Amino acid sequence: MASQQVTLAQKDRKAFQDLLSCYELKQLTRGRKVADQILKKYPDHGETMCMKGLILVHLGQRDEGIKLIREGMRKDLTSHICWHVWALVQKGEHKYEEALKSYMQALRFDKDNFNITQTRAYESLVESRLHMLRLRPSVRAHWVGLAVAYQLSGNLVEAKRVLEHFQNLLREGPVNDAEYSEFLLFHVHVLEDLGHLQDALAFLDKKSKDRYIVDRTATHTFRARILSKLKNTNMESPQAAEWNTRAESEWRALLDLNPECSDYYRAVLANQGIDLDGLNKDSRTKALELLSEFSVHFPKAYAPRQLALTVAQDDKFRELVKPYIEVALSKGIPSLFSDLKTLYANPFKCQVIEEIVEDIRASSLDDQASPSEPAEYLWTLYFLAQHHSFLGRHQRALEMLNLAVEHTPTLPELYTTRAKLLKRAGDPYGAVRSMDEARKLDGQDRFINTKSGKYRLRAGMVDEAEEIFGLFTRKGAATPGADLTEMQALHYLAEVGDAYRRIGKLNLALKKYYAIQKVFEAFREDQYDFHQYSIRKTILLPYFDMLKWEDEVHSHPSYVHAVVSAARIWIELHDDPSLGKLLQPSSETTDASKKALSKAKKAAHRGNDPSQESQDVANKKVSNQSEDKGLDAPIPKDEDPDGVKMVLADDALERAAKFLATLKESGKRNIDACLANFDVATRRKKYLQAARALAHAHAVDAQHPELHLRVVQFGKTVSSVSDSIASSVKCVLHETLVALKPEEISLDVFTSQYLQSHSTSPSAILACAQAYEFLGNSTEDIESLLFTTLKDNIGLSVEDALRILSYLQRVKSTRAEEFRIACDNKFELSTVFKSSDEQAALRQQCLLEEKEDCDDVEIL
C-alpha cells in the first residue's frame, strides 16, 4: 500500500524544478546533487526518488537506478512524473506495450502530459489524440495527430471532418510553407481514399493555384491519378473527355519532370486504354507509335526505348533493337546486357539479339578503317560473353572472354564476368582467382573488392573473405565481420551464414541467421522514434509509406532466406542430434583460441606507451562517471558467441517453429517457407498446421517438385496416424489431401503421373526419387531414375547435379561415386565434382596464391 504523499515546501519545490531542468539539459551530475539535497530533507519523496533513479540510469548505474525508481513509485502511485519516468525506462528496454500503459497512467494523473507511443493500438491512439487536442486546440500538431489517428483507424469521415475544422479555424494558411503543403496533400489523400474524387480535385486545384501546395511532383501525381480515376469510374459523364485530356496533360507533365520513369509511360498508355500486360495487334501498334513519339521528344531518355523493345514483336522488334544495340556498343556501355536480358524470356528476341551482335562482331573484324572500331569490338565480345554465359553456353562464353582479354587485358569487367561464368559453370576456386585478377587491376574499387570477398565466401574461404572486407571496414572494429554486422549489412550476413552452412559449421551459420533477425528487430524498433517526429514536422505521406513498409518488412528476401535456412538447420539437428555434439570444440581448439586472443591483445597494445595508457584509463574512468549512457538497456554479453551451446538445444523444433512464426502473412506467399513450416509441423505432430502449410504452398505453386514430395509424405503420414487422432482432425486432414491429390489414385500412381508430366525436369526427377524412397521402392530403381538426369534431353544444371549427388551420398548409395564421375565428365569447366583430394588441392592452391598476394593487399 502506497504511503502518504509527501508535499515539498515552496523553496524545495523550486529545487525540484531545478532538478527537472537539469535532466532536460542533460546536466546529470548537477541533477544528482540536487536530488540528493532534496532527499536529505524528504527521504520519502517519490518523485525525487524517481528522478534520481532516472539520472542514475543515464549515468550507467542501471540496476541501482531502476531499484530507486520502483521505490519512488511505491511512495507515490498517483504522480504523473513517476509514471512518466517508468515509461521512459520501459521504452529504453524496448517494452513498448508496457511503456504505453505507463504513459496512459501518466495521462490519467496529468491531463497536460503529451507523451505518447504509437504501437498500432489505433483506438487508444484516437482517444489520446482527442484528449490532447481538447487540452491545447491551438497547436497544429494535435490536429494533425488526431486526423492521422482517425485515418489509421479507418475512420476517414472523421479524419476529413478534423482536417476541414482546422482549416476553418486557421482561415489563412502560410503560403509556400512545406509543412502546411504536406498537411494539405494529406487532406487530398483522405478525400481520394473516401472516393470524393471531384472534391479532392477541386481542393487540389484551389490550394495549388493559391501557392499553398508547393510540391510540384506530388501535385501532378495526385491530379493525374484522380483525373484518371474520375474518367474510369464515370465513363458516361459529359466531363469524361475533359478529365481524359487533363489526365493526359498531367502525366505528360510528370514525364517532363522525370522522363526515365517507366510508370509514367505506362500511365499515359493506360489513360488511352492501352494495357501493356494485355496487348492485341491494334493496341500494340498504337503503343509503339506513342513510345516512338516519346523517344523523339526525349532523345536522351532510355525508358521509352526499353518499353518499345518489350512491346515490339517480329520484324518491328528487329528494326528497333538493332540501332539500340549499335549505339550502345559504339559508346561502350557496360550495362547493355543487363538492360536487355529481361527480353530473353522471349526465345525469338533472344535469337535476334544474338544475330545482330554477331553481325556487328563480324563487321568489326572485316572493317579496320573506323578509329572507334577497337573499343566497339571489345564491348561486342564482352556482350557476347555475358549472352552465352546467361544461356548456359559456358565454353563459348569463355572463348569470347579470352579474345577480349587478348584485345584489352586491363579491363576489370572482363575478369569479373569470367568469374561469374566460372561460378555458374561450377568452378568456385577459378572464380575466386579470376575475381582476384580484377581486384588487382583496380584495388581501390569497393565493388570489386566486395565481389572478391563474396566469391571467397561462395568457395568456403570465410577467413580469407574477411581479410578482403577488412580493407574497407572500420579499423577500430574487433573484426571486419563485427563491423559489417554492426552496419547491418544483410548481404554479408546472408552470404557468410550460407558459407558456414555449406562447410558444415551449423553453429556459426545459425548465429548469422539470427543476427539478421536482430537487424529486422532494430528496423521495427526504429519506427517508434519516427512517429512523433512525422506528426510534429507534418511529414505525413512518407509516414504512411513507412508504416506500409513496416507491415511488410518480414517479407524481405534476406529475412525469409534467414528464417528458412535456420529452420532447415534446426530440422537437421533434430533428425540427427549427434551433429550438435560433433560441432563442440576440442580442448586443443579451445587452448588455441585463447592463445590467439592473447596474441591479438598483445599486438594491439604493442608500441603504446604504458604511462600514457594508464593516464588514458584514468581519464576514461573519470569521464565515464559523468557520461550520459542513455536509457537504452545495455546489450547483454553473448555467452555463446560461436553458437556451440545453441546447437545442443533439446527444443530444436520449437525454435524453428518460433522463428518461422515471425514471417506471419508473408510466409504464406513463399513456397520455401510453407514447405519448412510443413516439415517442422509434421515432426512436432501438429498435423493441422502441416495441412495448412501444404494448402498455402499449393496456392503458391501447385506443380513445385518439393510440394509433390511433401504431398506424398503427408498422404503416408495421414494413413499411418488416422487411428490415433480425433475424428474432426481426421476429417480436415482428409479434405486437405483430397484437394492436393485425386482420392481415387494411390501415392505410387500419383508420383508416376507427376514424373511422366515432368520427365525433363531434374528437380522433379529428384523429388520423385525421394518420394519413391519414402514409399519403400527399391534402391536400384531409385538410382536408375536419378541416372536418367544425365541424358542429353534433360537440362541438368550444376546445382541440380549437386543436389542429386548429395542425396545419393546421404542415402549411402553404392553408385554415388559413379554419378560424381559422370557429372565431372559432363561439366567440363566444373571442379565441384572432383574428388575430395582434388578439391583440397585446388583450395590449397587458392590459399597459396592468396599468400603470395599479401604484399599487394598491404599496399592497398
Side-chain angles (χ1 to χ4, degrees), residues 787-808:
F787 268 78
T788 62
T789 58
L790 296 171
K791 295 179 179 178
D792 294 336
N793 66 323
I794 294 178
L796 182 67
S797 66
V798 173
E799 292 77 11
D800 289 328
L802 283 173
R803 282 195 290 270
I804 294 172
L805 177 60
S806 175
Y807 170 73
L808 288 170

Side-chain angles (χ1 to χ4, degrees), residues 19 64 98 104 162 172 318 390 405 411 438-439 453 490 508 574 594 616 653 698 726 809 840 843:
L19 170 60
E64 182 182 348
E98 296 301 317
M104 296 302 292
V162 170
E172 191 68 29
R318 187 185 295 272
F390 184 79
V405 170
L411 185 65
R439 190 174 66 85
L490 293 174
L508 294 173
H574 171 267
K594 290 180 180 178
D616 290 342
L653 292 180
H698 189 268
Q809 292 171 340
R843 178 184 173 83

Side-chain angles (χ1 to χ4, degrees), residues 108 114 204 280 285 373 398 461 494 502 617 719 780:
R108 278 182 57 201
F114 294 113
L204 179 65
N280 54 38
T285 303
E373 179 196 331
L398 195 58
M461 303 163 64
R502 282 191 294 269
V617 169
S719 61
E780 291 77 10

Side-chain angles (χ1 to χ4, degrees), residues 151 179 226 232 244 265 445 563 617 657 750 775 809 823 827:
Q151 200 270 356
E179 291 184 10
I226 292 170
N232 294 332
N244 183 62
Y265 293 101
D445 191 307
V563 172
V617 169
F750 178 60
L775 294 171
Q809 292 171 340
C823 289
F827 301 104

Side-chain angles (χ1 to χ4, degrees), residues 6-277:
V6 177
T7 304
L8 298 178
Q10 184 174 358
K11 178 182 177 181
D12 298 312
R13 283 202 298 270
K14 290 181 180 179
F16 184 75
Q17 291 299 321
D18 188 27
L19 170 60
L20 295 178
S21 299
C22 288
Y23 177 76
E24 291 294 333
L25 297 172
K26 292 296 181 280
Q27 298 174 355
L28 302 177
T29 305
R30 182 168 175 266
R32 181 177 182 176
K33 291 179 180 177
V34 173
D36 287 336
Q37 291 172 2
I38 298 174
L39 290 175
K40 192 173 182 180
K41 294 177 64 177
Y42 303 93
D44 292 331
H45 188 243
E47 292 180 342
T48 305
M49 294 172 71
C50 287
M51 287 305 303
K52 181 183 176 181
L54 185 61
I55 289 173
L56 290 176
V57 171
H58 274 279
L59 291 174
Q61 302 175 39
R62 190 172 194 86
D63 294 339
E64 182 182 348
I66 291 177
K67 182 180 178 181
L68 192 58
I69 292 171
R70 290 179 183 274
E71 291 178 5
M73 290 186 68
R74 281 195 289 269
K75 301 292 184 182
D76 192 354
L77 286 172
T78 61
S79 167
H80 69 278
I81 291 178
C82 293
W83 284 106
H84 189 181
V85 167
W86 187 237
L88 289 173
V89 172
Q90 289 175 313
K91 187 177 180 183
E93 294 179 349
H94 311 299
K95 300 176 181 178
Y96 298 104
E97 298 292 340
E98 296 301 317
L100 178 60
K101 293 177 183 177
S102 298
Y103 278 133
M104 296 302 292
Q105 283 291 97
L107 190 62
R108 278 182 57 201
F109 300 118
D110 177 23
K111 304 303 182 182
D112 293 329
N113 190 305
F114 294 113
N115 287 282
I116 190 167
T117 298
Q118 216 272 64
T119 58
R120 308 299 180 90
Y122 296 134
E123 292 184 4
S124 299
L125 179 65
V126 168
E127 182 181 346
S128 300
R129 288 293 181 186
L130 188 58
H131 183 75
M132 293 164 67
L133 178 61
R134 287 169 180 162
L135 290 173
R136 293 188 186 174
S138 60
V139 180
R140 183 174 73 183
H142 294 169
W143 290 92
V144 175
L146 180 58
V148 168
Y150 276 129
Q151 200 270 356
L152 292 174
S153 65
N155 194 341
L156 296 175
V157 174
E158 284 299 312
K160 171 177 173 287
R161 189 179 66 83
V162 170
L163 292 169
E164 289 174 345
H165 192 66
F166 174 68
Q167 290 174 70
N168 291 335
L169 291 174
L170 195 60
R171 295 183 181 176
E172 191 68 29
V175 176
N176 293 329
D177 181 78
E179 291 184 10
Y180 187 60
S181 173
E182 278 288 313
F183 176 81
L184 296 176
L185 286 173
F186 172 55
H187 193 167
V188 176
H189 179 64
V190 170
L191 291 172
E192 183 185 3
D193 286 350
L194 273 171
H196 301 172
L197 299 178
Q198 296 195 47
D199 292 343
L201 182 62
F203 182 84
L204 179 65
D205 289 342
K206 183 179 185 305
K207 295 301 181 181
S208 58
K209 182 180 179 181
D210 295 339
R211 294 182 300 161
Y212 291 121
I213 297 178
V214 296
D215 189 338
R216 289 177 57 201
T217 303
T219 300
H220 288 303
T221 303
F222 269 107
R223 189 178 286 131
R225 191 170 62 236
I226 292 170
L227 286 165
S228 297
K229 288 181 179 179
L230 279 170
K231 183 204 71 170
N232 294 332
T233 56
N234 300 276
M235 299 292 289
E236 305 300 325
S237 173
Q239 293 180 279
E242 178 191 350
W243 291 331
N244 183 62
T245 304
R246 288 187 64 191
E248 177 89 10
S249 175
E250 293 298 328
W251 288 120
R252 287 179 179 269
L254 285 167
L255 283 173
D256 290 332
L257 293 173
N258 182 8
E260 291 292 356
C261 181
S262 59
D263 289 338
Y264 293 160
Y265 293 101
R266 290 178 176 273
V268 172
L269 295 172
N271 194 64
Q272 298 201 12
I274 302 172
D275 180 9
L276 292 183
D277 296 325

Side-chain angles (χ1 to χ4, degrees), residues 389-566:
S389 175
F390 184 79
L391 296 175
R393 306 167 189 165
H394 302 308
Q395 199 68 50
R396 179 63 174 159
L398 195 58
E399 292 173 7
M400 294 291 106
L401 280 174
N402 290 336
L403 289 173
V405 170
E406 289 177 13
H407 184 280
T408 307
T410 56
L411 185 65
E413 283 85 348
L414 300 178
Y415 299 95
T416 58
T417 302
R418 182 160 65 187
K420 182 181 288 188
L421 182 158
L422 292 172
K423 178 197 72 172
R424 288 173 174 169
D427 183 7
Y429 299 114
V432 168
R433 288 194 296 271
S434 187
M435 191 61 76
D436 209 44
E437 290 182 72
R439 190 174 66 85
K440 292 174 188 175
L441 291 173
D442 191 356
Q444 301 301 316
D445 191 307
R446 187 185 295 262
F447 171 78
I448 296 178
N449 277 276
T450 302
K451 276 287 187 182
S452 182
K454 178 180 176 180
Y455 274 52
R456 280 166 168 75
L457 289 176
R458 294 281 177 90
M461 303 163 64
V462 180
D463 295 335
E464 293 74 17
E466 287 227 346
E467 290 181 15
I468 299 299
F469 295 139
L471 297 174
F472 292 95
T473 53
R474 183 167 53 87
K475 300 306 177 185
T479 63
D483 184 51
L484 289 167
T485 302
E486 184 181 348
M487 295 298 291
Q488 300 180 335
L490 293 174
H491 54 293
Y492 163 78
L493 292 171
E495 285 291 345
V496 76
D498 293 345
Y500 279 131
R501 186 183 176 193
R502 282 191 294 269
I503 61 179
K505 296 183 178 180
L506 304 183
N507 53 323
L508 294 173
L510 277 176
K511 294 295 288 188
K512 295 303 177 185
Y513 293 140
Y514 277 97
I516 292 177
Q517 184 192 33
K518 291 179 182 177
V519 171
F520 280 86
E521 189 65 23
F523 289 168
R524 186 185 68 84
E525 292 174 356
D526 287 345
Q527 70 175 303
Y528 295 113
D529 295 327
F530 196 58
H531 293 309
Q532 294 280 43
Y533 174 81
S534 300
I535 301 300
R536 188 171 67 253
K537 291 293 187 180
T538 325
I539 308 174
L540 302 179
L541 298 182
Y543 173 67
F544 292 125
D545 291 338
M546 185 272 290
L547 291 180
K548 291 177 183 176
W549 180 81
E550 284 286 351
D551 289 339
E552 294 292 327
V553 70
H554 287 135
S555 64
H556 191 284
S558 294
Y559 188 81
V560 175
H561 174 76
V563 172
V564 173
S565 299

